[in-house]
């Protein structure tokens, strides 16, 4: 095909324009970079301030001396005077710690449309110690799409989107910034627990740690129950239940804080828990008789407020004596096991561990492969098996099904399975017992189903 003179002229013009675009125009137009808020180094922030034309919230760090007890504590100084919630403050500071970039430019004005005008915006500022000018200052407006919020840098017209954590984080009333930690103790340093209720008083104690483990953590000592209650319990105390009970009471974080005169049934409290520490100090938690939507109400000695807490705090204080009965079913080291058998209705499947403990094989019935991962899961679960609960009575209808563990030294232990019965939240429970030992327990059917998988019976 022969190009016409006009076509050749157009091609030449296009080539010339392309060359001018690449070389004569100095490259593509530069795009203006989005601003980035200055970084607020966490350890240097002394003040968080959230202001509107009507109200100013000011929260100050108790001490700027690193290592001092007050360095990690904050206090509301305006418009209230209360300890502040450290977790909330740290979350805000973390947002600005690395220098917060703007996500996108939105508008060059129309501030009211985005809630970043001086009347509707929330002015969020972070100050260093003794500073009159803030390290970080940003006007927070309405929530934008996704995780972003409309923001404006004070004194500027431009509106941006930035991930400041949402307007709701800063728009909380002053009371919602209050410290919600009612009690914060090290559970490992609790050496005594007394639970006083209308029906009984239980006193648990434990001695000093005998030493430290390989990581330097103190080794725990078993809990002991006072002799009178121990006689009624009829067996050793369940250390895991005590550990969870102490943890629930030693670290209490409230969902809400009420005034000292809040009616929560403290005239006739449901229970009083006393924690005794290694250094001899005591901490008292009183449970009000009122329960609302599953929440408990407690007071902590030395503080006037009433704390609305999750229900686990109330349950920890009101557990009956029987709840502390030892629920350990089996305890052994995996390396000591020679074989594990599952017997059910005349069928026996045997898993045998190799001499070096590196693998498992099905030795009965023949021609059946062992699932190594499932075998390890089964033996590890059995090695520290705990019951879901102690059965309310000793009735046991043996089904003949059982797990039997044989050890390298010739000892054996068997977990016998009994009848199935309904449990909470439609979770079936199975009555179980350890052959030759007293006590009937309840174990979740789901746990047994998982154990059976290693034997091809899941």
């Amino acid at each position: 095909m022969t190009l016409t003179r006009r076509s050749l002229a157009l091609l030449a013009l296009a080539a010339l324009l392309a060359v001018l675009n690449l070389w004569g125009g100095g490259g593509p137009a530069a795009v203006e970079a989005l601003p980035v808020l200055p970084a607020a180094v966490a350890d240097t922030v002394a003040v968080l301030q959230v202001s509107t034309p009507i109200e100013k919230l000011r929260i100050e760090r108790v001490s700027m001396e690193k290592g001092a007890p007050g360095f990690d504590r904050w206090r509301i100084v305006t418009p209230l005077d209360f300890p502040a919630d450290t977790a909330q403050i740290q979350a805000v500071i973390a947002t600005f710690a690395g220098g917060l970039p703007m996500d996108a430019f939105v508008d060059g004005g129309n501030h009211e449309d985005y809630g970043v005008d001086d009347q509707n915006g929330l002015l969020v500022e972070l100050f260093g110690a003794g500073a009159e000018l803030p390290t970080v200052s940003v006007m927070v407006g309405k929530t934008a799409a996704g995780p972003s919020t409309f923001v404006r840098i004070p004194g500027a017209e431009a509106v941006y989107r930035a991930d400041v954590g949402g307007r709701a984080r800063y728009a909380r009333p002053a009371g919602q910034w209050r410290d919600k930690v009612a009690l914060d103790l090290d559970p490992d340093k609790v050496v005594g627990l007394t639970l006083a209720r209308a029906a009984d008083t239980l006193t648990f104690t434990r001695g000093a740690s005998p030493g430290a483990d390989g990581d330097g953590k103190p080794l725990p000592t078993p809990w002991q129950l006072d002799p009178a209650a121990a006689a009624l319990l009829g067996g050793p105390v369940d250390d895991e239940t005590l550990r969870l009970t102490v943890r629930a009471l030693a670290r209490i974080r409230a969902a809400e804080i009420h005034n000292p005169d809040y009616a929560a049934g403290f005239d006739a409290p449901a229970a009083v828990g006393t924690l005794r520490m290694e250094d001899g100090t005591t901490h008292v938690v009183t449970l009000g008789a009122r329960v609302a939507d599953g929440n408990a109400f407690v007071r902590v000695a030395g503080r006037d407020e009433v704390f609305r807490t999750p229900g686990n705090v109330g349950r920890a204080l009101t557990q009956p004596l029987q709840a502390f009965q030892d629920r350990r079913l089996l305890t052994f080291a995996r390396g000591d096991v020679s074989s594990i058998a599952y017997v059910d209705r005349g069928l026996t499947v045997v898993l045998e561990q190799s001499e070096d403990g590196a693998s498992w094989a099905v030795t009965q019935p023949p021609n059946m492969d062992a699932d190594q991962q499932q075998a390890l899961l089964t033996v590890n679960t059995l090695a520290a098996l705990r019951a879901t609960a102690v059965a309310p009575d000793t009735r046991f209808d043996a089904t003949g099904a059982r797990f039997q563990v044989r050890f390298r030294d010739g000892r054996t232990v068997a977990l016998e399975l009994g009848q199935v019965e309904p449990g909470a939240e439609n979770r079936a429970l199975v009555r179980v017992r350890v052959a030759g030992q007293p006590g009937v327990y309840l174990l979740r059917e789901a746990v047994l189903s998982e154990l059976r998988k290693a034997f091809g019976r899941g």
Side-chain angles (χ1 to χ4, degrees):
M1 180 178 72
T2 303
L3 296 174
T4 65
R5 183 176 298 176
R6 183 178 178 182
S7 298
L8 290 171
L10 291 173
L11 287 173
L13 178 60
L16 177 61
L17 291 174
V19 171
L20 290 174
N21 184 55
L22 291 174
W23 302 103
V31 178
E32 183 179 354
L34 295 172
V36 178
L37 294 179
V41 180
D43 288 352
T44 66
V45 176
V47 176
L48 164 65
Q49 198 162 274
V50 181
S51 307
T52 69
I54 300 174
E55 187 176 62
K56 177 185 293 184
L57 170 74
R58 184 178 176 89
I59 302 175
E60 299 180 354
R61 193 190 291 268
V62 174
S63 172
M64 289 302 297
E65 182 183 349
K66 291 185 180 180
F71 184 74
D72 293 322
R73 296 205 301 265
W74 296 78
R75 190 170 188 88
I76 304 170
V77 296
T78 302
L80 304 175
D81 184 14
F82 286 108
D85 189 335
T86 298
Q88 290 188 60
I89 311 303
Q90 290 176 339
V92 171
I93 294 175
T95 299
F96 301 99
L100 185 71
M102 302 296 104
D103 292 340
F105 171 80
V106 177
D107 201 340
N110 303 308
H111 296 164
E112 290 185 11
D113 294 342
Y114 307 100
V116 295
D117 57 299
D118 292 336
Q119 296 301 312
N120 299 296
L122 300 174
L123 180 58
V124 178
E125 298 171 299
L126 298 178
F127 294 83
E132 294 185 3
L133 297 177
T135 304
V136 174
S137 181
V138 62
M139 189 72 77
V140 177
K142 298 177 181 178
T143 301
S148 294
T149 304
F150 295 118
V151 300
R152 179 173 64 88
I153 298 173
E157 290 295 313
V159 180
Y160 300 94
R161 286 191 292 107
D163 187 3
V164 295
R167 179 184 174 92
R169 169 186 279 183
Y170 310 95
R172 298 169 178 152
Q176 292 188 14
W177 291 88
R178 289 179 60 180
D179 184 11
K180 295 181 177 63
V181 177
L183 194 60
D184 188 12
L185 306 173
D186 184 350
D188 292 335
K189 294 184 178 179
V190 177
V191 296
L193 170 64
T194 299
L195 301 177
R197 293 80 64 91
D200 58 13
T201 297
L202 308 178
T203 300
F204 303 90
T205 56
R206 64 176 176 179
S209 173
D213 59 17
D215 297 327
K217 187 176 181 179
L219 293 169
T221 52
W223 284 92
Q224 304 291 329
L225 181 58
D226 62 274
L232 294 174
L233 188 64
V237 172
D238 190 76
D239 275 321
E240 180 65 11
T241 300
L242 258 297
R243 185 185 70 83
L244 294 175
T245 300
V246 168
R247 182 169 293 274
L249 300 180
R251 290 178 172 163
I252 302 176
R253 182 178 175 84
E256 193 173 353
I257 304 175
H258 299 283
N259 292 329
D261 58 355
Y262 185 80
F266 289 102
D267 292 338
V272 177
T274 303
L275 300 165
R276 184 167 58 84
M277 311 301 293
E278 286 180 348
D279 60 6
T281 59
T282 59
H283 301 268
V284 179
V285 179
T286 302
L287 174 67
R290 181 185 174 192
V291 177
D293 299 325
N295 294 316
F297 297 88
V298 301
R299 274 190 177 138
V300 176
R303 301 187 64 171
D304 296 329
E305 310 98 313
V306 174
F307 298 93
R308 181 191 294 259
T309 67
N312 70 306
V313 177
R315 290 191 294 272
L317 287 163
T318 57
Q319 294 175 92
L321 172 63
Q322 290 71 26
F324 296 99
Q325 187 173 335
D326 190 5
R327 289 190 281 124
R328 290 174 297 176
L329 296 173
L330 301 175
T331 304
F332 56 81
R334 188 180 72 191
D336 295 340
V337 176
S338 173
S339 65
I340 301 176
Y342 177 65
V343 180
D344 186 15
R345 296 180 180 86
L347 175 65
T348 300
V349 180
V350 179
L351 275 170
E352 189 168 314
Q353 185 172 208
S354 62
E355 287 297 326
D356 60 3
S359 62
W360 293 82
V362 177
T363 58
Q364 181 183 340
N367 303 319
M368 181 176 173
D369 293 331
D371 183 327
Q372 298 299 318
Q373 183 175 355
Q374 198 66 46
L376 280 174
L377 175 62
T378 294
V379 69
N380 287 339
T381 302
L382 287 172
L385 189 64
R386 288 173 49 81
T388 304
V390 178
D393 54 63
T394 59
R395 183 171 57 88
F396 188 83
D397 300 332
T399 63
R402 66 184 184 276
F403 292 93
Q404 183 167 306
V405 182
R406 182 175 296 277
F407 300 99
R408 297 189 190 276
D409 61 6
R411 294 177 297 117
T412 62
V413 62
L415 179 72
E416 300 178 338
L417 311 186
Q419 66 270 33
V420 181
E421 54 190 59
E425 300 178 358
N426 295 321
R427 294 180 179 178
L429 299 172
V430 179
R431 293 205 172 207
V432 299
R433 66 184 181 189
V434 178
Q437 297 183 19
V440 177
Y441 302 85
L442 297 172
L443 192 62
R444 285 192 295 120
E445 169 64 25
V447 173
L448 293 171
S449 295
E450 192 66 32
L451 291 172
R452 293 189 188 100
K453 289 181 181 179
F455 305 90
R457 305 287 289 177

